[in-house]
């Protein structure tokens, strides 16, 4: 313990934080907050080992603890320090340890990283927030897989630093934008028509990343699902008829949480708007649909229909169809406990949107540690809304067609473990 404190003290003295506002409290002591070059870190470690030599058996353990707390980009550079560091950083156990620290850092920092898709352009957007300003850094990327005549691309999902993209409906790519590694999946055997739902997530029971895509037929009311396993590198097809625990009618992207993909399933009666909804999940381990989470009870309020679901700060949230009035967001504080839905966050649309509310698209993406809500407005502008002050501020990042919350890691899309970088 004493040696670990000595390391932390040395780091704090030698490398002060580079992005601290005087008005903002420091919310983390993670080494990710320090901007260290390869040369700086090597000099730091050599000086520490010379000044406070730990027992020989602890050298590697302490080194792992230090390196696993650094940003993924810094670790990619540090592979050039020596062969032993390259082997260590590429080790699957180290990669998982780094993933755990990265996830913990993301949950407590008042900042976020986004993967932004705009037609055929891709970029990583880092957003730093303080009380008065929004700091945005944009890094454009090239799709590493050569696909000719790209017409349409959409984000299937984002999980543990991996982005899953669908290009031209039949090409599916799993990509780690941080390491640059990617994998073009085998083409699905079934071409869907009609309503299409899809998702991407991690099955911890088998250490496997899975892609699902599905559709339903209006005549037979059969739901067809194709599932790709990164571990087996193959697709499997599953069918679900209307006799199997109800009729599944999903649309769009599912959000990944706690080993399952979640959608809000809308119920229609032939009119322009849905008449009801429920939460439906697809368990990636058992590979079946379940109804495990109940929606908030609204009593006699019939004007609200739940339109979508998301994940923020390790909690599920659902949001309503504004229906020309306002947007409500409910956060589930305790998983699978219906009574733990918090009081809704209310966003009055006339405060942030023009008069043409009915023609507007507004979707909450996440809720930050500060309580601010990140909103996607008309797939063109990102807006941060402060429910306490009822104020908003926009994030100028240019035109986007799809956005995903992203985290930089070392996970390999080829093996789902460490990258041989």
């Amino acid at each position: 313990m004493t040696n670990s404190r000595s390391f932390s003290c040395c780091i704090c003295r030698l490398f002060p934080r580079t992005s601290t506002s005087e008005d903002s409290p420091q919310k983390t002591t993670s080494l990710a907050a320090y901007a260290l070059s390869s040369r700086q870190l090597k000099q730091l470690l050599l000086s520490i080992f010379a000044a406070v030599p730990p027992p020989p058996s602890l050298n590697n353990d302490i080194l792992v603890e230090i390196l696993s707390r650094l940003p993924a980009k810094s670790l990619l550079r540090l592979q050039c320090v020596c062969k032993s560091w390259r082997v260590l950083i590429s080790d699957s156990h180290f990669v998982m340890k780094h993933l755990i620290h990265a996830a913990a850092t993301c949950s407590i920092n008042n900042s976020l990283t986004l993967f932004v898709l705009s037609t055929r352009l891709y970029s990583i957007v880092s957003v730093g927030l303080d009380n008065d300003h929004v700091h945005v850094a944009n890094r454009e990327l090239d799709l590493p897989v050569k696909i000719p005549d790209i017409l349409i691309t959409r984000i299937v999902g984002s999980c543990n630093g991996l982005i899953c993209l669908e290009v031209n409906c039949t090409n599916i790519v799993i990509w780690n934008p941080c390491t640059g590694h990617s994998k073009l999946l085998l083409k699905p055997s079934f071409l869907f028509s009609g309503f299409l739902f899809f998702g991407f997530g991690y099955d911890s029971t088998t250490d496997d990343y899975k892609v699902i895509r599905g559709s339903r037929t209006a005549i037979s009311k059969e739901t067809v699902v194709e599932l790709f396993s990164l571990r087996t590198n193959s697709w499997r097809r599953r069918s679900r008829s209307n006799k199997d625990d109800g009729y599944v009618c999903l649309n769009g992207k599912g959000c990944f949480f706690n080993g399952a993909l979640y959608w809000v399933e809308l119920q229609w009666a032939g009119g322009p708007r849905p008449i009801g909804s429920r939460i439906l999940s697809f368990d990636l381990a058992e590979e079946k649909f379940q109804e495990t989470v109940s929606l908030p009870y609204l009593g006699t309020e019939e004007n609200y229909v739940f339109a979508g679901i998301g994940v923020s700060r390790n909690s599920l949230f659902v949001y309503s169809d504004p229906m020309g009035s306002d947007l409500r967001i409910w956060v589930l504080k305790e998983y699978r406990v219906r009574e733990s839905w918090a009081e809704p966050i209310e966003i009055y649309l006339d405060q942030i949107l023009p008069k043409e509310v009915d023609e507007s698209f507004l979707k909450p993406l996440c809720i930050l540690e500060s309580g601010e809500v990140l909103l996607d407005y008309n797939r063109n502008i990102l807006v941060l809304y402060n429910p306490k002050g009822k104020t908003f501020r926009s994030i100028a990042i240019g035109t986007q067609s799809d956005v995903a919350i992203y985290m930089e890691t070392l996970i390999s899309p080829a093996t789902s473990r460490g990258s041989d970088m």
Side-chain angles (χ1 to χ4, degrees):
M1 181 65 67
T2 302
N3 287 334
S4 299
R5 290 178 179 174
S6 300
F7 284 113
S8 299
C9 292
C10 289
I11 292 174
C12 294
R13 291 198 308 268
L14 296 176
F15 300 98
R17 294 169 61 94
T18 58
S19 58
T20 301
S21 170
E22 295 179 356
D23 300 328
S24 301
Q26 297 182 11
K27 296 188 177 182
T28 177
T29 56
S30 169
L31 294 183
Y34 301 91
L36 304 179
S37 67
S38 304
R39 178 177 298 178
Q40 286 175 320
L41 185 59
K42 185 175 181 180
Q43 291 175 346
L44 170 64
L45 292 176
L46 290 175
S47 64
I48 291 176
F49 283 134
V52 189
S57 59
L58 296 181
N59 279 355
N60 192 63
D61 293 339
I62 295 176
L63 180 62
V64 168
E65 287 299 322
I66 292 176
L67 295 182
S68 64
R69 286 168 166 77
L70 294 177
K73 280 293 184 184
S74 297
L75 292 173
L76 294 177
R77 296 196 301 269
L78 291 178
Q79 289 184 1
C80 302
V81 171
C82 60
K83 182 178 179 180
S84 62
W85 281 27
R86 179 183 178 89
V87 173
L88 171 63
I89 294 172
S90 302
D91 179 74
S92 59
H93 296 290
F94 176 86
V95 169
M96 291 303 296
K97 188 176 184 68
H98 176 266
L99 172 63
I100 294 171
H101 286 307
T105 301
C106 288
S107 66
I108 61 176
N109 280 348
N110 199 27
S111 62
L112 67 155
T113 304
L114 307 173
F115 178 87
V116 178
L117 169 65
S118 178
T119 312
R120 286 169 291 181
L121 301 177
Y122 316 90
S123 57
I124 297 297
V125 178
S126 301
V127 182
L129 307 171
D130 58 34
N131 293 332
D132 301 316
H133 300 92
V134 178
H135 309 283
V136 179
N138 192 351
R139 176 165 56 92
E140 294 187 357
L141 306 170
D142 293 322
L143 185 67
V145 178
K146 300 299 181 182
I147 299 176
D149 303 323
I150 296 178
L151 299 177
I152 182 172
T153 305
R154 62 181 163 194
I155 300 174
V156 175
S158 172
C159 180
N160 293 345
L162 298 180
I163 297 290
C164 183
L165 301 174
E166 183 187 73
V167 184
N168 291 350
C169 299
T170 59
N171 299 286
I172 298 179
V173 179
I174 299 179
W175 179 20
N176 184 328
C178 179
T179 65
H181 288 198
S182 64
K183 180 181 179 66
L184 179 63
L185 306 188
L186 300 173
K187 288 192 176 183
S189 59
F190 191 77
L191 183 62
F192 292 117
S193 61
F195 289 104
L196 179 68
F197 59 91
F198 45 87
F200 173 63
Y202 176 65
D203 177 7
S204 61
T205 63
T206 57
D207 188 25
D208 192 11
Y209 288 84
K210 296 179 179 180
V211 180
I212 82 163
R213 58 196 301 271
S215 184
R216 53 98 173 175
T217 58
I219 298 177
S220 64
K221 292 189 176 181
E222 180 186 41
T223 302
V224 179
V225 175
E226 277 196 316
L227 187 144
F228 183 88
S229 164
L230 194 59
R231 176 176 285 273
T232 63
N233 194 37
S234 62
W235 289 94
R236 296 193 308 277
R237 183 176 173 182
R238 299 173 60 89
S239 297
R240 174 192 174 103
S241 68
N242 57 352
K243 299 178 182 179
D244 300 327
D245 304 324
Y247 177 35
V248 176
C249 180
L250 304 177
N251 189 29
K253 178 168 54 181
C255 72
F256 175 72
F257 177 73
N258 202 27
L261 292 162
Y262 289 81
W263 293 263
V264 167
E265 181 185 39
L266 301 179
Q267 300 166 349
W268 303 82
R273 292 187 179 276
I275 61 171
S277 53
R278 66 171 176 167
I279 295 177
L280 204 62
S281 65
F282 184 85
D283 188 283
L284 292 177
E286 299 183 13
E287 298 184 0
K288 67 178 183 180
F289 289 100
Q290 303 179 50
E291 192 174 354
T292 57
V293 180
S294 299
L295 285 165
Y297 177 68
L298 300 183
T300 59
E301 295 189 61
E302 298 180 354
N303 291 330
Y304 286 93
V305 174
F306 297 96
I309 189 168
V311 177
S312 186
R313 292 186 294 172
N314 296 319
S315 298
L316 286 172
F317 68 85
V318 294
Y319 55 94
S320 63
D321 182 354
M323 300 184 70
S325 54
D326 58 8
L327 176 71
R328 289 187 178 185
I329 304 171
W330 291 260
V331 178
L332 186 63
K333 293 184 177 180
E334 188 175 349
Y335 183 59
R336 293 191 179 185
V337 179
R338 185 175 188 175
E339 293 75 18
S340 70
W341 286 105
E343 288 295 316
I345 300 171
E346 296 185 328
I347 302 176
Y348 298 97
L349 304 187
D350 56 3
Q351 296 178 348
I352 60 175
L353 301 180
K355 296 181 179 179
E356 299 82 9
V357 172
D358 289 336
E359 287 78 30
S360 299
F361 170 88
L362 188 66
K363 175 183 177 182
L365 297 175
C366 71
I367 303 171
L368 303 182
E369 189 72 24
S370 63
E372 287 185 292
V373 182
L374 179 67
L375 301 165
D376 182 2
Y377 169 45
N378 278 354
R379 300 183 179 89
N380 187 37
I381 300 174
L382 295 182
V383 176
L384 280 168
Y385 181 78
N386 186 337
K388 294 180 180 179
K390 294 182 172 54
T391 58
F392 73 94
R393 45 184 176 171
S394 62
I395 301 176
I397 63 173
T399 303
Q400 81 269 355
S401 59
D402 205 355
V403 180
I405 307 300
Y406 173 70
M407 174 177 64
E408 292 190 332
T409 72
L410 303 174
I411 299 294
S412 170
T415 63
S416 77
R417 299 174 185 83
S419 296
D420 183 16
M421 294 163 286

